[in-house]
Amino acid sequence: MENLSRRKALTLGVALGIVGAAAPVPAWASAGSTAGTGALTGAGAGAAAGPGPEWIWDEAADPLMARMIDGGHVPAINRAWEKWVNNNDPIPGGLPSDFAAYLAQANHLPSWADQAKLQRAADFNRRRDTYLFMLYGLGSGIMSTVIPREAKSVYWSAGGADMQDRAAKTFTFGYDLSQLGAFKPTGQFVVTANKTRVVHAAVRHLLPQSPHWKAVADESIPISAADILVTFHSLGTYVHQKLLEWRIPYPAADQEAFLHMWQVAIHLLGVPYEHIPKTWAEARAQSQQVLTPILTPSTEGIALAEDLLGLTAQIDLGVTRGFLNEFVRYVLSDQVGDWLGLRRDYAAAALVRTAWPAFILFREGLSPVMPGTFYMFDQFIRAIAMLFLNKGSSGTTTPITIPIGNRAG
Ligand code: HEM
């Protein structure tokens, strides 16, 4: 039985491009252990003999947010930080003093952040935005619905009731992360990441009060550092592997910069440095251990996927829903497509599988032959990009707000 599920996980991993020939290694590597000699999951022998990341939440933000919610301060915080957008904006006035003190302490880059690498990553993001939009949006976005803990917590939190709004906020994260000056004082990503960290802390206090979530959850507090690492693999590690698989020109320095950007991002979300993979090889091995085997459908995830894919129906993608379903199958495997009940369209499937690689070759200047489907793909990509670039309803500000309750039912 164990072999069977391991085999299934491997097959799925190969399809997702996140399983290689790497030898099995412990799931969670320890402090700076690029060799992956760290702790085994839950063995309590993690970094510096501390707990593994599944036992780490957020010591700084969690108790604070519990106090803010119980004390009724959240609406005032949401109002006060609406205009707090740029990394070098002063901490806004009108915040409870302990909350302001927390933000002042949390809202800066870690000492190991390397501006040159971050700049290179930003430039890479700009040059590769086409593929990144497609992969984050249709790959990682839909993959999140078959990560059961994520799907269940997203579904039963307040934001689950309005996926359009939630997706817009999540896209804000990707958008701000991908901007040229994202990590510079005039950029916006440090603020966006800190808002997100605070939202996660709020969710850790709120969701355990939801009878619906409690009925389906397999953990008592959501969004551990381990859960965040799993999500990182569904974003960064997955996209990295797909770019390699698609043979997009991707020099080693860009690969390193892209990893560095993600390392800083997940650290800003509260994951301790020692638990963050130090190389793509380590990330890939960890992903193979902690992401691929847990992918599975759930009632909540199926509903979320339908919501997300339905969202795209509101804009003209220049392609049919059948084509969209098949593109998702192409980037995530038929296994995932079947789990989510994505209706088959075999003509579209054949088109995606032959024309997409030709489209990439042409775009990258690796083939002089422009595929007849070029404009269709081009329009498709533009439409998906619009979802990112619209940045939700507010346009210019970062619309992330702290929830004060859960989804009702
Ligand atoms: C909220 C990003 C990991 C569950 C958010 C928001 C962003 C975000 C931008 C704010 C937007 C919103 O309110 O919807 C990320 C990133 C992650 C990550 C980049 C990792 C790299 C996780 C994980 C879980 C999770 C691991 C659960 C297992 C949630 C929930 C909300 C949220 C429940 C609140 C939605 C609401 O407003 O009700 N996340 N997240 N996130 N996230 Fe995450």
Side-chain angles (χ1 to χ4, degrees):
M1 187 63 198
E2 201 181 300
N3 269 342
L4 182 67
S5 47
R6 185 170 153 71
R7 209 177 322 129
K8 263 169 65 186
L10 279 172
T11 315
L12 187 57
V14 169
L16 296 176
I18 46 185
V19 170
V25 292
W28 306 114
S30 71
S33 75
T34 43
T37 51
L40 284 162
T41 306
E54 64 277 61
W55 303 111
I56 295 175
W57 289 272
D58 195 330
E59 274 178 17
D62 292 351
L64 174 75
M65 288 319 294
R67 281 204 307 283
M68 293 299 114
I69 293 169
D70 293 344
H73 300 296
V74 169
I77 297 176
N78 279 332
R79 269 194 307 278
W81 82 4
E82 212 173 294
K83 300 247 154 17
W84 184 52
V85 174
N86 292 333
N87 299 339
N88 62 357
D89 282 350
I91 303 297
L95 295 170
S97 58
D98 44 351
F99 188 81
Y102 161 79
L103 282 190
Q105 160 269 312
N107 202 57
H108 54 77
L109 290 174
S111 58
W112 46 268
D114 179 334
Q115 279 294 352
K117 281 189 191 169
L118 293 173
Q119 189 53 37
R120 185 172 185 114
D123 185 53
F124 169 75
N125 288 329
R126 191 178 49 78
R127 282 183 282 118
R128 296 287 168 233
D129 60 357
T130 311
Y131 308 119
L132 295 177
F133 286 143
M134 300 301 278
L135 286 169
Y136 284 140
L138 296 177
S140 313
I142 301 301
M143 200 195 307
S144 73
T145 70
V146 289
I147 300 176
R149 284 181 175 178
E150 190 171 346
K152 289 173 185 179
S153 60
V154 165
Y155 187 90
W156 288 115
S157 69
D162 183 350
M163 277 313 284
Q164 174 148 22
D165 184 58
R166 207 197 114 82
K169 290 170 177 168
T170 308
F171 286 156
T172 291
F173 188 96
Y175 178 85
D176 290 349
L177 174 63
S178 306
Q179 288 306 290
L180 261 184
F183 293 87
K184 293 211 165 126
T186 48
Q188 306 188 341
F189 182 71
V190 181
V191 169
T192 296
N194 268 294
K195 287 185 174 179
T196 303
R197 180 175 174 185
V198 164
V199 169
H200 285 160
V203 168
R204 291 190 194 101
H205 182 62
L206 291 168
L207 266 184
Q209 301 172 35
S210 158
H212 302 290
W213 183 78
K214 274 201 289 201
V216 296
D218 67 348
E219 56 188 353
S220 49
I221 308 174
I223 325 184
S224 66
D227 292 328
I228 293 181
L229 285 164
V230 165
T231 302
F232 154 62
H233 293 309
S234 74
L235 290 155
T237 311
Y238 163 77
V239 167
H240 168 75
Q241 286 303 127
K242 277 288 173 200
L243 292 176
L244 291 174
E245 185 192 309
W246 285 355
R247 299 182 188 283
I248 312 289
Y250 186 20
D254 283 353
Q255 298 188 29
E256 204 186 321
F258 189 60
L259 175 63
H260 187 70
M261 174 198 78
W262 269 108
Q263 289 170 324
V264 174
I266 51 180
H267 185 68
L268 288 173
L269 289 182
V271 178
Y273 173 79
E274 57 270 29
H275 291 295
I276 298 174
K278 303 297 178 287
T279 62
W280 278 125
E282 198 184 318
R284 195 167 129 125
Q286 191 178 80
S287 178
Q288 183 175 336
Q289 297 264 312
V290 301
L291 171 64
T292 325
I294 64 159
L295 294 176
T296 200
S298 61
T299 312
E300 289 84 355
I302 292 169
L304 289 178
E306 199 43 49
D307 265 5
L308 283 171
L309 291 171
L311 248 181
T312 53
Q314 297 174 18
I315 48 171
D316 181 10
L317 297 175
V319 298
T320 60
R321 172 65 199 264
F323 183 94
L324 183 61
N325 284 356
E326 291 299 338
F327 198 87
V328 171
R329 284 175 174 270
Y330 178 62
V331 291
L332 286 182
S333 79
D334 279 333
Q335 167 89 85
V336 172
D338 290 346
W339 282 344
L340 296 174
L342 302 184
R343 196 174 40 78
R344 297 291 333 224
D345 178 335
Y346 290 100
L351 183 67
V352 171
R353 273 153 226 269
T354 52
W356 180 255
F359 173 79
I360 292 180
L361 283 178
F362 179 73
R363 267 195 112 250
E364 296 305 321
L366 300 171
S367 156
V369 186
M370 183 166 89
T373 48
F374 184 87
Y375 291 106
M376 183 197 68
F377 278 117
D378 209 46
Q379 188 180 349
F380 182 42
I381 290 166
R382 277 164 206 265
I384 297 288
M386 281 306 289
L387 277 176
F388 280 86
L389 300 175
N390 272 343
K391 291 195 74 188
S393 47
S394 71
T396 50
T397 56
T398 306
I400 293 176
T401 51
I402 306 166
I404 48 170
N406 295 307
R407 183 179 185 149

